[in-house]
Amino acid sequence: MTETVVSIELPVAEHLNIRKNRIMPLHPSGDEKRIAIVTGTHGDELEGQFVCYELLRRLKAEPEHLKGIVDVYPALNPLGIDSITRGIPMFDLDMNRIFPGSENGPMMESLVYHLTEDLKGANLCIDIHASNIFLMELPQVRINETTAETLIPLAEKINVDFVWVHASATVLESTLAYSLNKTGTPTLVVEMGVGMRITRSYGFQLVDGILNVMKSMGVWEGNVRSVRTPVISTDHAVGYLNAGSAGIYIPHVKIGDQVQAGDLFGEILDPLTGDVVEAVEAPISGMVFTRREYPVVYSGSLLGRILGGKEQ
């Protein structure tokens, strides 16, 4: 059942509507657990659109196995998706920087307030993001270290390749996930793929993981596929690769590859002179979980990240 969560009047007789699709069990008892899938906070992140479709398709194919409530919010920022804009167009706002909002605040703060209120109380919220147009990310869950004890057991079941636990000082308090976790609504942030694209293999991988989590919670009783065991980053080194020169970047590794320190990671080329301006080497040994996709780079541009071994 689709319903409008928030509706705000816009100029020229238009409305900004945030909608969700609620899937109920065939025989509700009244005390079902609820899981929320949210995506589309940034209009240039489309990986979650396919996840919403595929999850709903599988739930509708086997409705007898659903024992809880699933709320799917495919477009928290519909104006951004329609205009291929990361933030909220016209307002020049990053939607994921104004949570939890304010009931009587400006228009967008009121919108995110009512959205937060609708999500609060879920037994689990999964907030799906993609990277930007510049970078490809291996499927991962990102967690604030202050909520790691609660969230890591859930993240281990969702079929991602690794879980990146961030220090609390690096986590923005104005995000949807932070705001929901603070209210006691467990929220996992999934980052995967690349901006303005859909990576179907990642979508299938995550849907398998969502169903696996749902089964562990008693929300789903259908068959689930086996899931991978992620690496937890808490005691692992992370190596960053940044360009030292401007030029055209050509990567020499694939996302998910294992590399050794000193391996050729990529090259920065000068198309005017035909020279290799910089040979970029892996600073540590480990797994490539971020890879530069957009070729034009400048000094300081992020080229990739490597999840290394245990820190000494």
Side-chain angles (χ1 to χ4, degrees):
M1 176 182 68
T2 60
E3 58 184 274
T4 299
V5 178
V6 189
S7 181
I8 292 181
E9 188 173 354
L10 297 174
V12 200
E14 294 184 342
H15 286 80
L16 192 168
N17 296 319
I18 297 179
R19 306 183 71 196
K20 72 177 180 183
N21 190 353
R22 168 163 287 187
I23 309 298
M24 297 284 295
L26 293 177
H27 305 290
S29 63
D31 61 350
E32 288 83 9
K33 290 183 177 179
R34 175 166 66 101
I35 183 171
I37 312 297
V38 302
T39 190
T41 308
H42 295 127
D44 61 349
E45 298 180 2
L46 305 176
E47 300 281 7
Q49 303 298 301
F50 181 73
V51 173
C52 291
Y53 158 79
E54 179 63 14
L55 177 62
L56 289 170
R57 185 191 70 79
R58 295 193 199 181
L59 295 179
K60 291 192 294 183
E62 300 180 89
E64 68 277 10
H65 295 310
L66 183 63
K67 303 303 175 183
I69 300 170
V70 179
D71 284 336
V72 178
Y73 304 70
L76 296 194
N77 178 11
L79 296 180
I81 291 176
D82 289 346
S83 60
I84 322 176
T85 305
R86 182 171 180 81
I88 303 173
M90 299 184 297
F91 298 95
D92 193 27
L93 283 174
D94 184 333
M95 190 177 192
N96 212 27
R97 299 294 182 271
I98 54 175
F99 283 95
S102 170
E103 183 175 14
N104 299 313
M107 183 184 297
M108 289 300 114
E109 290 192 23
S110 176
L111 179 144
V112 300
Y113 169 82
H114 289 290
L115 176 60
T116 304
E117 290 298 303
D118 195 70
L119 286 164
K120 279 166 58 174
N123 297 94
L124 176 63
C125 176
I126 300 172
D127 181 16
I128 304 171
H129 291 261
S131 188
N132 52 40
I133 63 170
F134 301 100
L135 302 169
M136 167 72 80
E137 297 283 358
L138 204 64
Q140 61 197 260
V141 169
R142 297 184 178 181
I143 292 174
N144 183 339
E145 65 180 3
T146 61
T147 55
E149 183 176 353
T150 300
L151 297 182
I152 285 178
L154 293 166
E156 289 177 323
K157 298 181 177 71
I158 206 169
N159 203 28
V160 294
D161 292 84
F162 86 103
V163 177
W164 195 358
V165 181
H166 287 268
S168 57
T170 68
V171 176
L172 293 171
E173 298 183 3
S174 54
T175 63
L176 171 64
Y178 184 93
S179 299
L180 287 178
N181 278 311
K182 190 174 181 181
T183 67
T185 301
T187 302
L188 296 175
V189 176
V190 176
E191 189 96 16
M192 66 181 196
V194 65
M196 297 190 186
R197 297 292 184 270
I198 288 177
T199 312
R200 294 177 72 238
S201 61
Y202 288 173
F204 290 133
Q205 177 181 335
L206 185 59
V207 172
D208 289 343
I210 292 172
L211 290 173
N212 186 61
V213 171
M214 288 170 56
K215 188 158 189 173
S216 73
M217 296 171 62
V219 176
W220 176 253
E221 292 187 348
N223 292 327
V224 296
R225 296 183 174 94
S226 59
V227 299
R228 62 199 71 196
T229 301
V231 177
I232 311 298
S233 72
T234 47
D235 55 355
H236 286 251
V238 174
Y240 294 79
L241 297 98
N242 295 91
S245 309
I248 300 299
Y249 179 65
I250 306 297
H252 284 252
V253 298
K254 296 178 182 177
I255 196 82
D257 278 356
Q258 293 288 332
V259 298
Q260 298 298 315
D263 283 355
L264 182 63
F265 199 89
E267 293 178 310
I268 300 175
L269 314 178
D270 186 336
L272 179 62
T273 65
D275 295 325
V276 175
V277 179
E278 181 179 353
V280 181
E281 296 181 352
I284 62 174
S285 301
M287 179 181 67
V288 179
F289 70 89
T290 304
R291 192 186 87 150
R292 179 85 178 188
E293 296 294 310
Y294 193 74
V296 177
V297 298
Y298 301 94
S299 179
S301 295
L302 182 62
L303 305 179
R305 301 186 188 99
I306 298 170
L307 182 66
K310 300 290 181 71
E311 292 182 324
Q312 301 300 318

